[in-house]
Amino acid sequence: MAGRHKLFLGMAAGVGKTYRMLQEGQAEAESGRDVVLGYLETHDRPETTAQAAGLELVPRRRVVHGTRAARVEVEEMDLPAILLRAPELCLVDELAHTNAPGQEHAKRWEDVEAVLDAGIDVYSTVNVQHLESLNDRISELTGTRVRETVPDALLVRADEVVLVDLTPEALTARLRAGKVYARERAEAALNGFFKIEHLGVLREVALRQVAEGVGSQRLVREGPAPLSATRREDRLADRGAPQAVGERLLALVRPEPAGQRVVRRAWRSSQRLGAELDLLCVRTPGAGTSEADRIALESLRRLASVLGAHLLVEEGDDVADVAVRVARERGTTYVLMGMPRTPRGLGRLAEVLPMTLLRRLPGVDLRVVADRTARAEEE
């Protein structure tokens, strides 16, 4: 039987996710449960360090990687040691972390899934900007591209998600007091990612993420800070209820960076609709594939896999013909696409793709998503 996963979600570093996880871990230990720290990152915060006192820590393993000329030694969570120790509950910080080469898994969230599969309960932490589907949105809002991400499905699969909430004003006060980063780093943080307007948007995104993920399920606010959402039991309870006819979303994508943006927007839309997501990439028959195209297509495949979408690569001279055929075969109810390219020459006389799809797919909704980066460049 798989372990239960409780995930502590925050809008940014410093809101108290790790502290809250340790609080609840201590409460479990006091009640008699066997609790260990699988991985803890205190960032030299005295309050966090104090909260971990008395909990057993599974020692990290030292990993050396790199070339002889540039060898690097790092410390990673010791997955085999945790599985051998087999506690009842394991606390794991920083879920989005990328492991050093040569470990059992590339990402720490994959290590956590292995711990859960072993029947061990897990408490873990992550910030909202690390959710894969929000990657482009967070970059647009803050000007910072987050490199380490986790699949949104982790939140869906979690038994409980606790939003550790803090007002932007309270977080900036913590920064200025040196409770998040050393004082010499605080000012740079406040003028960068932690600008008050950025924090306001991140908080709104975090609240919306939990609200949309829970839908009509029960929400419980536990005092002024955390917002807790019970997950798996509610889904199981709802299975006996009448189910609506399912939506199915088809997104037209191209193997290029802008295509990944469309994929993430499509995934967000599919979650709101409760729809299966198909991604369609149409390629010209017989056209050669450059190394750049191959890499871009592989990136699309990886992103589709992380988000749980179905990537379909089809050949055809006419994108509309292929899209209409695939939409009919897949039972599509909703089509999403990026801004169509401006036609050249005689192509300007042809019917634009969105109008063609609306005409040939009656009863299917169509959405053309804006390119927000282009709007920012114009401003």
Side-chain angles (χ1 to χ4, degrees):
M1 181 178 178
R4 293 174 57 81
H5 188 192
K6 188 170 188 175
L7 197 156
F8 295 83
L9 177 71
M11 69 177 179
V15 298
K17 302 179 306 300
T18 301
Y19 189 91
R20 177 60 189 274
M21 177 182 73
L22 291 170
Q23 269 189 327
E24 298 208 10
Q26 290 281 12
E28 292 295 316
E30 290 172 6
S31 71
R33 297 193 73 196
D34 180 18
V35 181
V36 303
L37 294 169
Y39 188 91
L40 175 64
E41 191 61 73
T42 65
H43 296 288
D44 296 322
R45 296 167 189 160
E47 297 92 343
T48 303
T49 302
Q51 191 61 48
L55 291 176
E56 178 186 343
L57 175 64
V58 177
R60 302 178 187 182
R61 57 178 166 184
R62 296 182 181 276
V63 179
V64 178
H65 65 96
T67 63
R68 288 186 178 179
R71 295 174 71 81
V72 178
E73 183 176 295
V74 297
E75 293 184 338
E76 297 286 6
M77 186 176 89
D78 194 337
L79 176 60
I82 292 171
L83 298 179
L84 182 63
R85 172 64 176 74
E88 292 181 73
L89 172 62
C90 182
L91 312 186
V92 180
D93 218 359
E94 300 194 350
L95 201 59
H97 172 76
T98 300
N99 293 330
Q103 305 307 289
E104 290 82 8
H105 304 105
K107 303 287 289 187
R108 185 168 293 154
W109 64 263
E110 295 175 299
D111 290 338
V112 163
E113 292 203 324
V115 175
L116 291 166
D117 288 343
I120 300 168
D121 292 348
V122 174
Y123 289 177
S124 68
T125 66
V126 73
N127 286 324
V128 71
Q129 69 262 29
H130 292 291
L131 295 177
E132 178 60 52
S133 73
L134 293 173
N135 194 259
D136 294 318
R137 182 66 173 147
I138 297 299
S139 178
E140 292 163 1
L141 294 171
T142 67
T144 301
R145 172 68 68 176
V146 176
R147 300 300 175 187
E148 294 188 312
T149 61
V150 300
D152 294 56
L154 285 179
L155 268 71
V156 177
R157 292 197 297 265
D159 296 278
E160 189 173 352
V161 174
V162 176
L163 178 61
V164 183
D165 190 20
L166 195 67
T167 66
E169 293 77 14
L171 181 53
T172 55
R174 286 177 56 81
L175 276 161
R176 290 193 175 93
K179 294 183 176 181
V180 180
Y181 299 127
R183 290 181 185 274
E184 57 269 22
R185 293 181 56 196
E187 197 60 36
L190 286 166
N191 291 323
F193 188 83
F194 287 83
K195 285 182 179 178
I196 193 76
E197 58 267 29
H198 291 174
L199 295 177
V201 171
L202 286 169
R203 187 186 188 208
E204 181 182 341
V205 168
L207 290 166
R208 184 181 298 123
Q209 175 66 35
V210 174
E212 289 177 352
V214 175
S216 61
Q217 297 171 6
R218 180 173 58 92
L219 290 177
V220 180
R221 181 171 291 279
E222 303 173 1
L227 179 65
S228 177
T230 301
R231 307 299 302 274
R232 188 172 298 166
E233 293 83 357
D234 290 340
R235 291 200 303 274
L236 291 173
D238 286 344
R239 285 181 180 173
Q243 300 296 312
V245 175
E247 299 273 6
R248 194 170 195 105
L249 192 153
L250 177 67
L252 309 185
V253 299
R254 293 190 286 263
E256 56 190 35
Q260 294 201 10
R261 185 181 302 276
V262 172
V263 170
R264 293 188 179 99
R265 295 288 294 279
W267 192 90
R268 300 290 297 172
S269 293
S270 72
Q271 294 306 291
R272 294 187 181 101
L273 291 167
E276 286 287 321
L277 176 59
D278 297 319
L279 309 173
L280 174 62
C281 179
V282 181
R283 308 180 69 179
T284 304
T289 303
S290 67
E291 180 66 10
D293 289 340
R294 186 191 66 77
I295 292 173
L297 184 58
E298 186 56 34
S299 294
L300 268 182
R301 290 189 191 281
R302 286 196 299 270
L303 181 57
S305 177
V306 166
L307 294 176
H310 313 282
L311 178 61
L312 313 171
V313 181
E314 301 277 344
E315 290 191 346
D317 292 309
D318 190 303
V319 173
D321 285 344
V322 177
V324 169
R325 173 177 59 79
V326 171
R328 289 170 177 166
E329 291 173 352
R330 307 288 288 185
T332 297
T333 61
Y334 192 106
V335 173
L336 184 144
M337 60 181 288
M339 292 294 291
R341 289 172 173 165
T342 303
R344 298 178 179 178
L346 294 176
R348 296 179 179 179
L349 302 177
E351 185 177 50
V352 294
L353 180 59
M355 295 305 299
T356 302
L357 294 177
L358 285 172
R359 178 173 54 82
R360 297 179 60 183
L361 291 172
V364 174
D365 294 332
L366 173 69
R367 180 184 178 194
V368 179
V369 299
D371 184 349
R372 293 178 176 141
T373 58
R375 181 180 62 187
E377 290 170 2
E378 288 179 3
E379 295 174 349

